[in-house]
Amino acid sequence: MRQYIIRRLLQVLPIVFLVATTVFFLFKLIPGDPATVFAGEQASPATIARVRERLGLDQPVIVQYWRYLQRLVKGDLGTSFINGMEVIDLVKARFPNTIRLAFISTILSAFFGVSIGMISALKRETIVDYLLTVVALLGISIPIFWLGLMLIYVLSVQLSILPIAGASSWKNYIMPVCTLSAVSVASILRITRSSILEVISEDFVRLARAKGLKETRVVFRHVLPNALIPVVTVVGLQFGYMLGGSIITETIFSWPGMGRMLVVAVNQRDVMVVQGVLIVFATSFVLVNLIVDIVYALIDPKISYS
Amino acid sequence: MGDLLSVHDLETRFRTREGIVHAVNGVSFQLKKGETLGIVGESGCGKSVSVLSMLRLIPTPPGRIVAGRVMYQGKDMLKMTDDGIRHIRGSKISMVFQDPMTSLNPVMKIGQQVSEPLVVHEGLGRKQAFDRAAEILELVKIPNAKDRLNDYPHQFSGGMRQRVVIAMGLICNPQILIADEPTTALDVTIQAQITELIKKIRDELGMAIIWITHDLGVVAGLADRVVVMYGGLIIEEAPTKMLYDNPSHPYTIGLMESLPRMDKTRARRLTSIEGIPPVLMENPRYCPFAPRCKFVVSRCRHERPQLLPIGEDGHHVACWLDPHTGRENE
Ligand SMILES: Nc1ncnc2c1ncn2[C@@H]1O[C@H](COP(=O)(O)OP(=O)(O)OP(=O)(O)O)[C@@H](O)[C@H]1O
Ligand code: SF4
Ligand SMILES: [Mg+2]
């Protein structure tokens, strides 16, 4: 097992390298001169030239690329053009907030998605099942910015029971978590339902009943462990999507996380910050997938580690 | 009467998109202590549904048992509480299904699966239950049984898995083992091994067996008595030798004629009778075999023949004619 994990970790390196490379060249393609942004719109051409030299932007692209990689290996993501702070420090300050929000949302989505999906499957083709299916469809199709704004309008503006913005108390988590989880709960619910329905008609489940087991034991010992295997992948993917979803959610709720930082940086044309955030996001996404794969290997005995 | 189990007028239907499927239309039979009863008939004639209905294992919906009684130890299993029937399943009456590849839970260790009936029926602890599981796996000839308790199903071959399923069925020492085509999905050589194994265990433990199969050859060597099903009904029933010596329903006669001279096990499948098996979309108020029968008379198309005793002891046939004389039965 350890060897499997190490091997999978080594496979991550080339992907991260590819991500870093793509991000770098993407920014070379974007029109606009970072040195101008850095020096300010009013700066004289001489100042801009000096800045360009200091940032190494006067060098050939390939040299810039090489230096960029060298810095990256050391964990140096450059400095912000706007406030001169180390990007890595900005990330360190904001990323935990984003992760915390995504993590709480994932855990809650998984819990509610799986339990509601289970109820839906066990009550299949009853009014309960139909209602839950409609709710799930709503959850998947509502645009999350609309949901976020509606929550703010009703709960903060009209009823004044929840704070609109910030991350200072647990109350601040409620609306962002709901907004971020809506799609995930619905997706997890649907995959859980269909997966349970598939497993429940299998021979081994019928045989489990023929062995004289109680229905709860049949469900929890035989149906769920099999039905949840594909659900794990979806939960992992949802965590990844939540990193993306954090961009909208954090902006709506003024959440001090990396998603909002990215939006602000884009507006300010703060190239280094945007670059750094993208690399961190992409790397996290790859790592989440790695973790999902490892969990998958742990719970499915049919996957051997060699 | 000394019957261990008796089934009376069992009827099971399925509600499907195309309409109601009348899978079992009034099946009655008895099983004595230690007896082996064969149930034969071509695919879709209601063999599996009959035995699954007995233990109330029909998926509901779409299935529904609409009539009948299944008497076991003086009680009707169809009217028992859920708890009541659960105490019988897997402990007094257990089942083995056709396909060993899908009969085992892929993410549960063999030891756990085999010992599970003991845990739920006899409240044994894990250690004791595993010891018993190892014993029973040895009984069904799994090599190194003790070391394989922690293996998963995918680590076993098809034949070995069917042995595991059989072990699981036997672990509580049941009075009745229902084997629904337990060898159909296996290679010919493995088929013979599994059949031999069950025979041997039956002789050791003395349980009764209901053995469902397509294969008349297998039944001949195994069963004390055979019922032949067609279109959700039993159309002939007799002690095994009598059935082979003197098949009396036109369908059974057809089956026997289509049997090749010994060997070639594969070719003994019941597929070589002319015409197609009935689609059970309506409850037959007439003889279900009429569309394929060469002896058919007009009465066959209006009235359903009852399963009635003919001549010899224990021989029952549901047919309006005596096919040997061509005369109508009364
Ligand atoms: N879950 C179900 N839903 C709808 N129809 C069903 C269901 N299970 C069985 N049937 C129908 O009931 C009839 C009898 O099926 P059954 O499985 O008892 O046949 P069988 O004699 O066991 O055949 P085989 O030899 O192929 O196993 C078939 O026509 C089948 O289509
Ligand atoms: S009852 Fe009539 S149709 Fe049916 S098997 Fe007998 S002769 Fe043939
Ligand atoms: Mg069957």
Side-chain angles (χ1 to χ4, degrees):
Chain A
M1 189 66 209
R2 176 178 296 154
Q3 274 182 342
Y4 172 79
I5 294 176
I6 292 174
R7 208 179 55 239
R8 287 305 318 262
L9 268 173
L10 289 179
Q11 285 170 357
V12 165
L13 289 179
I15 302 178
V16 171
F17 169 77
L18 221 67
V19 166
T21 304
T22 312
V23 168
F24 177 83
F25 285 103
L26 216 56
F27 278 93
K28 289 295 150 200
L29 291 177
I30 295 174
D33 177 14
T36 316
V37 177
F38 190 91
E41 298 284 340
Q42 282 85 30
S44 66
T47 320
I48 293 176
R50 232 181 307 118
V51 167
R52 179 169 297 131
E53 200 181 325
R54 221 186 72 213
L55 293 177
L57 295 172
D58 55 340
Q59 302 286 326
V61 170
I62 192 73
V63 176
Q64 290 181 34
Y65 173 59
W66 178 241
R67 287 186 181 159
Y68 160 83
L69 285 182
Q70 280 177 319
R71 277 189 279 120
L72 212 55
V73 171
K74 282 182 265 168
D76 179 358
L77 294 173
T79 48
S80 160
F81 289 173
I82 303 298
N83 56 23
M85 286 174 68
E86 289 280 333
V87 174
I88 190 75
D89 291 335
L90 291 172
V91 167
K92 276 184 193 153
R94 304 296 177 91
F95 198 39
N97 286 333
T98 299
I99 289 289
R100 200 177 308 124
L101 192 59
F103 191 72
I104 295 175
S105 303
T106 307
I107 296 289
L108 290 177
S109 312
F111 177 77
F112 285 108
V114 168
S115 24
I116 302 174
M118 197 171 102
I119 295 171
S120 203
L122 297 180
K123 302 257 175 223
R124 65 186 168 283
E125 281 157 42
T126 63
I127 187 86
V128 179
D129 180 26
Y130 295 137
L131 276 178
L132 291 175
T133 306
V134 171
V135 172
L137 261 175
L138 280 180
I140 284 182
S141 37
I142 286 180
I144 69 173
F145 67 86
W146 186 84
L147 177 62
L149 292 176
M150 285 322 277
L151 286 174
I152 289 182
Y153 178 73
V154 176
L155 297 177
S156 303
V157 179
Q158 294 289 321
L159 303 174
S160 311
I161 45 177
L162 289 177
I164 295 185
S168 45
S169 85
W170 63 270
K171 283 189 180 174
N172 288 94
Y173 281 84
I174 297 178
M175 292 193 294
V177 165
C178 287
T179 309
L180 206 50
S181 307
V183 177
S184 298
V185 173
S187 325
I188 295 171
L189 185 161
R190 290 197 346 168
I191 177 86
T192 305
R193 180 183 182 276
S194 67
S195 179
I196 287 183
L197 286 185
E198 202 171 294
V199 172
I200 216 162
S201 57
E202 297 254 11
D203 279 350
F204 69 81
V205 174
R206 185 161 17 172
L207 197 59
R209 294 204 179 97
K211 282 154 84 174
L213 310 188
K214 286 212 170 82
E215 196 56 27
T216 43
R217 192 181 173 107
V218 173
V219 169
F220 284 99
R221 299 291 297 269
H222 292 271
V223 178
L224 277 188
N226 284 282
L228 290 188
I229 291 175
V231 176
V232 168
T233 313
V234 174
V235 170
L237 285 179
Q238 291 306 321
F239 186 78
Y241 289 138
M242 281 187 190
L243 295 178
S246 69
I247 296 171
I248 297 174
T249 310
E250 292 181 1
T251 306
I252 298 175
F253 296 100
S254 306
W255 189 265
M258 240 180 33
R260 178 152 162 267
M261 180 162 92
L262 179 65
V263 174
V264 172
V266 167
N267 285 335
Q268 295 174 332
R269 305 180 124 262
D270 196 344
V271 176
M272 285 317 230
V273 173
V274 174
Q275 208 173 49
V277 169
L278 287 185
I279 290 173
V280 173
F281 265 148
T283 309
S284 321
F285 198 84
V286 173
L287 283 177
V288 167
N289 275 312
L290 170 71
I291 292 170
V292 170
D293 279 358
I294 292 173
V295 171
Y296 207 97
L298 280 176
I299 59 175
D300 189 346
K302 271 177 291 189
I303 297 180
S304 59
Y305 310 128
S306 46
Chain B
M1 251 178 51
D3 287 333
L4 182 58
L5 178 87
S6 62
V7 178
H8 304 272
D9 305 314
L10 189 63
E11 270 181 61
T12 302
R13 296 177 190 160
F14 292 92
R15 193 180 296 275
T16 68
R17 217 159 287 185
E18 289 78 35
I20 292 181
V21 176
H22 297 259
V24 174
N25 300 313
V27 158
S28 308
F29 62 86
Q30 291 78 38
L31 185 70
K32 291 193 187 57
K33 209 154 176 278
E35 181 187 37
T36 301
L37 176 73
I39 301 183
V40 295
E42 59 200 331
S43 193
C45 70
K47 306 181 296 292
S48 301
V49 173
S50 298
V51 293
L52 289 171
S53 300
M54 286 164 29
L55 284 174
R56 302 204 332 230
L57 290 170
I58 293 290
T60 314
R64 199 160 73 85
I65 301 169
V66 293
R69 282 180 302 141
V70 179
M71 303 304 290
Y72 176 71
Q73 293 183 332
K75 291 209 191 90
D76 184 354
M77 296 211 293
L78 300 184
K79 294 216 173 67
M80 273 178 194
T81 59
D82 286 352
D83 275 328
I85 191 139
R86 223 161 21 228
H87 290 310
I88 295 178
R89 292 180 190 153
S91 127
K92 305 276 193 281
I93 305 179
S94 47
M95 287 198 73
V96 174
F97 292 139
Q98 174 171 348
D99 189 354
M101 301 318 261
T102 57
S103 289
L104 290 167
N105 180 344
V107 306
M108 198 188 236
K109 290 174 181 165
I110 291 298
Q112 264 174 307
Q113 299 197 50
V114 173
S115 60
E116 208 173 17
L118 275 184
V119 175
V120 299
H121 292 299
E122 294 173 25
L124 251 58
R126 187 191 144 91
K127 173 83 180 64
Q128 280 171 301
F130 262 59
D131 288 348
R132 274 288 288 147
E135 282 172 36
I136 204 85
L137 287 172
E138 244 154 58
L139 182 75
V140 298
K141 303 269 165 3
I142 303 246
N144 306 324
K146 246 199 186 73
D147 305 329
R148 305 221 56 183
L149 293 175
N150 286 322
D151 284 355
Y152 288 96
H154 72 274
Q155 291 162 291
F156 290 77
S157 69
M160 283 298 151
R161 285 194 212 189
Q162 197 62 308
R163 285 167 197 263
V164 171
V165 176
I166 293 168
M168 197 153 79
L170 294 176
I171 197 158
C172 287
N173 225 333
Q175 286 187 305
I176 303 173
L177 180 73
I178 300 175
D180 188 351
E181 305 191 37
T183 62
T184 310
L186 303 170
D187 289 344
V188 184
T189 43
I190 314 277
Q191 282 188 7
Q193 288 172 13
I194 296 283
T195 311
E196 275 312 307
L197 175 75
I198 296 188
K199 228 183 198 170
K200 197 166 146 283
I201 291 172
R202 174 193 63 185
D203 298 340
E204 267 170 48
L205 306 181
M207 76 247 178
I209 296 182
I210 297 179
W211 186 289
I212 297 179
T213 181
H214 289 120
D215 191 333
L216 277 168
V218 169
V219 167
L222 199 72
D224 302 311
R225 210 152 44 86
V226 179
V227 300
V228 183
M229 286 190 67
Y230 189 88
L233 291 165
I234 293 180
I235 48 92
E236 182 158 6
E237 175 192 338
T240 310
K241 188 161 183 323
M242 205 179 281
L243 187 82
Y244 283 76
D245 290 348
N246 182 23
S248 297
H249 189 282
Y251 174 64
T252 320
I253 293 171
L255 288 184
M256 296 295 176
E257 279 170 359
S258 71
L259 273 184
R261 298 273 85 92
M262 302 318 290
D263 42 69
K264 295 221 187 94
T265 324
R266 281 276 166 196
R268 278 193 220 147
R269 293 288 178 79
L270 315 180
T271 46
S272 28
I273 290 190
E274 263 182 51
I276 47 161
V279 190
L280 305 164
M281 295 313 281
E282 51 190 293
N283 193 352
R285 270 183 297 268
Y286 50 89
C287 174
F289 192 56
R292 288 163 83 183
C293 181
K294 0 179 217 199
F295 303 97
V296 61
V297 292
S298 77
R299 186 179 192 182
C300 308
R301 298 209 171 89
H302 304 296
E303 258 183 288
R304 187 159 104 187
Q306 298 299 307
L307 188 66
L308 295 172
I310 60 162
E312 300 135 293
D313 232 10
H315 196 167
H316 293 70
V317 179
C319 178
W320 290 124
L321 286 191
D322 179 341
H324 302 301
T325 62
R327 268 197 300 268
E328 277 194 40
N329 288 332
E330 270 322 303

